[in-house]
Amino acid sequence: MSAAPPPDLAPGATCRGPRIVLALALCVGLLRFWRLGTWSYWIDEAYTVADWSAAVARGGVWNPLGYRALRAATALLGGELSEWKLRALPALAGWLAVPLAYWALRPAFGRPRAAWSALLLALSSWLVFWSQTGRFYTLALLLSLAGAGLVLRAVRSGRAARGIGGFLVAAAAAAFHPTAALLLPGLVAAPFVVAGRGGHGAGDARRVGRALLVAVLVCGVLALPWTWSTLVQHATQKHTADLLSGPLHLALTVGYFVTPAVGAAALLGALRAWRTREAAGLFAATLVATTLLAALALSGVALMTAQYVLAALPWVLALALQPLAEGGRGARTLALVLALALAADLGLYFTSRGGERPRWREAYAYVDARREPGDLVLGMAAPIGELYLGAAGADPRVPLEVAPLGDWFPDGPRRWSRQPRRTWVVLRPQWLASLAPRDRADLEAWLAADARLARRFPVEMEGRDLDLEVWLREP
């Protein structure tokens, strides 16, 4: 079946509206750089700093390229480590994802839908969060999106070589984070789904699919040792309590960050694409479905959370805007409603939600300003406390200024009570649930009997408890 251009590309079609929307998307995307250093470190950022030297050197991480990229970018900015320097490269990648989404979607989805998808991507507080976090997810998203865009072009044109090139680009995203590989099965399956459904606007999709199948088999064999060790290590470090808790956690986190409105619109868009046999919609629906199913299958044995399927977000947004394929006032109203809903969510992110992370810097600064020589500081997220209270170049995985208060501290309260020292305790109440029942009971009884609540650091965020508490024990 020969590829047919989208209606907006027909001779005489105006592009003024999509250009305005795209320009707005690029401007909104710059918000990733606003307040970049305002929010406290996230616990994973402390582990980034901890692992980007020693762990990378001894081969103890799955994705050394991600660590090296962040360390190089931070060093390039000069001076001591700070929040904004650590986040600068992810923020840049998060901004570049906006025009790249337009590029990836435009040939198959048309300019209006591609432009509105880029705007929704720019407005997503979920993507802004990871753009303002010193981790690798936006870097992986950038490569995944570029590779998937090339595969989509191959499906439209029937050019297998382009499809293989796109697949290899998407596969390279796993060098930034292994979970980017979750998108790969969908890239192989999508051409077969499009061909099997007789998708409108596709070339020889089955030929592209066969070429990609060979590519994934070759890459799968070559990457098998790395893939297996990665899965085993992740399952060992983040195992789930049972077969239901993991999938439930994944479903809740994905639903929360995608937002119910966008998720419902995307589901309806996928059903509509199936009914109308729109090749672009079928491609996007296959990518989203296979990525989520792969993550769901793994979540039964290893903790899988929303950021592991971030690469599917641009395709979810394209599905949510499926009515734009047919045009009309109702379609534009839907796009505007989704944009306003995401804008409101993004406004809360920058205001009352405080960047959607606990106020660790303020809590540890409060302790630092009031502690006396010889005081003991106990803290959850001790690696973060070490970054704030330790000397320059401190190792967050070996905290010296903050004694770790975590999942394993046998007889801790009894041992601390024997010491005639003032003791500061920084804790996040939500994390108490991760303690063994006896340890939690001992800790809470010790605080109630021997300490007082000195200060709370609340975060007004619905659905998540990000509050911190600082307790003081004075013998």
Side-chain angles (χ1 to χ4, degrees):
M1 183 180 296
S2 61
D8 65 291
L9 297 182
T14 177
C15 298
R16 182 184 177 191
R19 285 174 180 170
I20 293 174
V21 174
L22 178 60
L24 180 60
L26 294 174
C27 292
V28 171
L30 293 174
L31 287 174
R32 284 149 176 71
F33 300 98
W34 185 47
R35 311 193 76 179
L36 192 58
T38 299
W39 324 123
S40 300
Y41 286 118
W42 183 254
I43 184 62
D44 287 351
E45 292 180 300
Y47 292 139
T48 297
V49 176
D51 294 338
W52 67 14
S53 54
V56 170
R58 65 172 180 266
V61 297
W62 313 318
N63 51 328
L65 181 59
Y67 286 95
R68 289 193 174 104
L70 262 63
R71 186 177 189 181
T74 303
L76 185 64
L77 294 171
E80 296 182 357
L81 176 71
S82 67
E83 291 91 342
W84 78 265
K85 293 174 184 176
L86 182 62
R87 298 165 182 168
L89 182 59
L92 177 61
W95 181 79
L96 290 175
V98 174
L100 186 63
Y102 176 80
W103 170 85
L105 300 174
R106 182 189 58 79
F109 288 88
R111 288 190 175 95
R113 199 166 164 190
W116 278 99
S117 296
L119 178 58
L120 297 189
L121 191 66
L123 288 168
S124 170
S125 64
W126 185 26
L127 184 55
V128 170
F129 177 90
W130 290 113
S131 298
Q132 295 194 330
T133 300
R135 296 296 278 177
F136 330 103
Y137 300 106
T138 57
L139 301 171
L141 169 65
L142 209 58
L143 275 184
S144 291
L145 187 53
L150 288 172
V151 174
L152 180 55
R153 281 165 166 76
V155 170
R156 280 179 50 79
S157 65
R159 295 173 60 183
R162 177 181 286 182
I164 292 175
F167 179 85
L168 293 177
V169 171
F176 286 110
H177 200 277
T179 54
L182 293 174
L183 198 73
L184 301 182
L187 292 178
V188 177
F192 291 108
V193 172
V194 171
R197 189 60 182 159
H200 302 302
D204 189 352
R206 201 179 301 275
R207 177 170 176 264
V208 175
R210 288 194 294 267
L212 292 180
L213 188 58
V214 173
V216 75
L217 290 174
V218 172
C219 292
V221 170
L222 295 176
L224 184 61
W226 174 84
T227 303
W228 178 252
S229 63
T230 298
L231 290 174
V232 170
Q233 186 174 350
H234 183 70
T236 302
Q237 294 178 348
K238 297 184 178 182
H239 63 279
T240 53
D242 53 68
L243 291 176
L244 293 179
S245 61
L248 180 61
H249 174 79
L250 176 64
L252 290 175
T253 54
V254 170
Y256 182 89
F257 289 110
V258 168
T259 76
V262 171
L267 179 59
L268 293 175
L271 294 174
R272 198 164 182 172
W274 179 265
R275 187 175 67 252
T276 61
R277 304 189 182 194
E278 181 203 31
L282 291 169
F283 183 91
T286 305
L287 280 190
V288 173
T290 54
T291 300
L292 293 179
L293 287 174
L296 198 64
L298 293 174
S299 67
V301 294
L303 182 65
M304 301 294 290
T305 192
Q307 66 263 30
Y308 297 158
V309 295
L310 182 65
L313 179 60
W315 306 99
V316 171
L317 298 175
L319 285 173
L321 294 168
Q322 202 277 339
L324 285 174
E326 301 172 11
R329 181 175 297 178
R332 292 191 294 271
T333 300
L334 171 65
L336 183 59
V337 167
L338 292 178
L340 290 175
L342 291 179
D345 192 60
L346 185 59
L348 293 175
Y349 170 90
F350 280 112
T351 54
S352 61
R353 294 177 184 170
E356 299 184 2
R357 58 202 91 197
R359 297 158 59 186
W360 295 110
R361 180 171 56 197
E362 294 174 68
Y364 280 109
Y366 177 85
V367 171
D368 192 38
R370 289 161 180 80
R371 64 174 173 163
E372 300 172 357
D375 283 4
L376 174 65
V377 180
L378 297 169
M380 289 182 169
I384 294 179
E386 192 68 15
L387 286 178
Y388 287 128
L389 303 185
D395 185 352
R397 286 202 183 270
V398 188
L400 302 177
E401 292 292 326
V402 181
L405 177 61
D407 296 355
W408 187 79
F409 55 109
D411 301 321
R414 285 184 288 275
R415 186 172 67 252
W416 302 328
S417 297
R418 292 196 297 267
Q419 301 183 26
R421 302 172 65 184
R422 284 212 321 167
T423 303
W424 297 90
V425 182
V426 180
L427 60 86
R428 181 179 171 186
Q430 187 188 44
W431 285 356
L432 292 173
S434 67
L435 304 179
R438 179 181 174 182
D439 286 342
R440 177 175 181 174
D442 287 348
L443 175 60
E444 291 177 332
W446 177 69
L447 291 175
D450 295 350
R452 63 178 176 84
L453 180 62
R455 180 75 182 273
R456 291 184 73 251
F457 294 87
V459 175
E460 298 178 12
M461 184 169 181
E462 64 285 355
R464 300 177 70 195
D465 182 4
L466 300 177
D467 294 357
L468 300 178
E469 294 179 352
V470 175
W471 292 73
L472 173 60
R473 180 232 183 191
E474 296 182 286

